[in-house]
Amino acid sequence: MQVAEDKGLLNYYEFSPLGKLTRYYHTSIAKVIQKEYHSGPVYHKRHKVSNGSSYTRNEYIYDTISTVYFYNENQNLKLKRYNDGNYYESYYYDYSSDGRVEIEMRCRETNVSPNKHEFKLGSQMVISEESFMYQPTGKNQFKKICKNDEDRPYKEIIFNLDDKGKIIGINEQYIVTWIIQQSNFTYNDKGQMTSALYKGNSNGDVEEKRTYEYDANDCLLTEKQFKNGILQKEISYITDANKKVNSYLIRDPAQKNIRIVKLLYQYY
């Protein structure tokens, strides 16, 4: 029940001329400094009308965390590189002729460029490498086989699609363990997603659900997030007449707080 406070937290998105995300970076609070301020007594016609006061105010020191994205000639993501200070972590992707990911490699890297705003690869250590195979298993269905860096299958994923090619179900099963994960999606007549339901047993039985509502202009209006049937977050989107999102509000009923996000657009 407090007044909303602007902590100066920002999220930036940069796009290519084709609309592909090329860079995302955001600020996070690294340190909070609490400063105390004092005001002296106030006089009016030589009479003291106020003894003065003191108050405290938080000042913030920020870190910037960024991710850059690179694409191949078919506009498929081939590299994304995460950076937090001096730490760099990258994901590399190779694709089949039909545009499906065949290899994903995760690496820890160092930047030897004297200009920290530019990246020049120094050392590179492979953290993990996975490969993927795809098999048709029926009408509107295919299987994805995930292999580890020893070329051994460790997980199988079944994808179910509707007649329009939209994914309506994903069933994941780990081969060595009894872990099962299941996702189901529903759409309205306009092809907009109305719900996403996830069930898994990796850390006990968990059910997570998201519902989506749209306004008369087919713009996303409300998103609700549930966990085991309990509302976790409710997000309300505010759009203008051009269907552009101007801001959105995130309500957390458990913490009883609201986060307000305002969006600004720039064109070059």
Side-chain angles (χ1 to χ4, degrees):
M1 306 302 295
Q2 296 177 342
V3 176
E5 177 187 1
D6 185 355
K7 295 183 178 180
L9 296 173
L10 299 172
N11 293 273
Y12 296 86
Y13 304 85
E14 296 177 0
F15 299 88
S16 71
L18 296 176
K20 293 285 189 178
L21 181 64
T22 57
R23 188 185 182 207
Y24 163 68
Y25 58 103
H26 68 275
T27 54
S28 63
I29 297 175
K31 188 177 181 181
V32 180
I33 300 175
Q34 193 174 72
K35 290 189 175 182
E36 186 173 344
Y37 296 86
H38 300 269
S39 61
V42 178
Y43 293 87
H44 180 67
K45 294 182 179 181
R46 297 186 179 182
H47 294 284
K48 186 164 67 174
V49 296
S50 173
N51 292 323
S53 61
S54 64
Y55 64 95
T56 59
R57 187 173 66 186
N58 290 333
E59 295 187 0
Y60 303 100
I61 297 176
Y62 302 97
D63 278 341
T64 299
I65 302 170
S66 67
T67 305
V68 293
Y69 303 84
F70 301 90
Y71 302 87
N72 60 21
E73 62 277 5
N74 295 320
Q75 297 304 308
N76 294 319
L77 180 66
K78 67 177 183 180
L79 165 63
K80 66 177 180 180
R81 180 174 288 120
Y82 168 87
N83 170 228
D84 183 359
N86 293 321
Y87 180 81
Y88 292 85
E89 186 173 301
S90 298
Y91 285 81
Y92 294 83
Y93 303 94
D94 287 337
Y95 293 84
S96 64
S97 57
D98 57 358
R100 290 175 173 173
V101 177
E102 286 187 323
I103 298 176
E104 176 186 294
M105 186 170 64
R106 177 186 173 199
C107 301
R108 184 176 298 167
E109 300 173 337
T110 60
N111 184 10
V112 296
S113 172
N115 182 359
K116 295 305 176 183
H117 296 290
E118 299 176 357
F119 183 83
K120 184 178 180 180
L121 181 61
S123 63
Q124 184 183 72
M125 182 183 73
V126 177
I127 300 174
S128 64
E129 183 174 346
E130 297 182 59
S131 60
F132 310 101
M133 291 178 56
Y134 302 87
Q135 297 176 351
T137 52
K139 181 184 178 182
N140 297 336
Q141 186 184 87
F142 67 90
K143 178 192 292 187
K144 179 179 179 181
I145 302 172
C146 308
K147 299 181 179 181
N148 58 23
D149 51 9
E150 296 179 347
D151 203 33
R152 294 180 179 177
Y154 72 91
K155 183 171 67 171
E156 292 183 349
I157 308 174
I158 299 292
F159 291 84
N160 293 295
L161 304 99
D162 62 15
D163 292 333
K164 296 179 180 179
K166 289 185 176 293
I167 296 175
I168 57 175
I170 301 175
N171 298 299
E172 304 180 44
Q173 183 165 3
Y174 288 81
I175 295 174
V176 197
T177 66
W178 293 97
I179 296 177
I180 297 175
Q181 298 172 336
Q182 185 180 48
S183 300
N184 292 288
F185 309 95
T186 60
Y187 306 87
N188 60 22
D189 294 337
K190 297 180 180 180
Q192 299 166 318
M193 185 178 293
T194 55
S195 69
L197 178 64
Y198 166 84
K199 294 180 180 181
N201 64 351
S202 59
N203 190 20
D205 291 335
V206 175
E207 179 181 292
E208 296 179 353
K209 184 177 182 179
R210 297 191 180 196
T211 61
Y212 306 92
E213 298 176 3
Y214 302 86
D215 62 18
N217 293 322
D218 294 330
C219 295
L220 183 59
L221 182 64
T222 305
E223 174 186 341
K224 294 181 180 180
Q225 302 176 8
F226 301 86
K227 184 175 182 180
N228 295 331
I230 299 174
L231 180 64
Q232 304 292 309
K233 288 182 181 179
E234 182 177 349
I235 306 174
S236 299
Y237 297 88
I238 301 172
T239 57
D240 60 18
N242 297 318
K243 299 186 177 182
K244 186 182 295 181
V245 180
N246 288 328
S247 61
Y248 57 91
L249 288 74
I250 306 172
R251 298 179 179 88
D252 188 332
Q255 299 297 325
K256 296 182 179 180
N257 62 31
I258 296 177
R259 183 180 180 187
I260 302 171
V261 181
K262 298 180 180 179
L263 304 183
L264 300 174
Y265 299 84
Q266 290 181 325
Y267 301 92
Y268 301 95

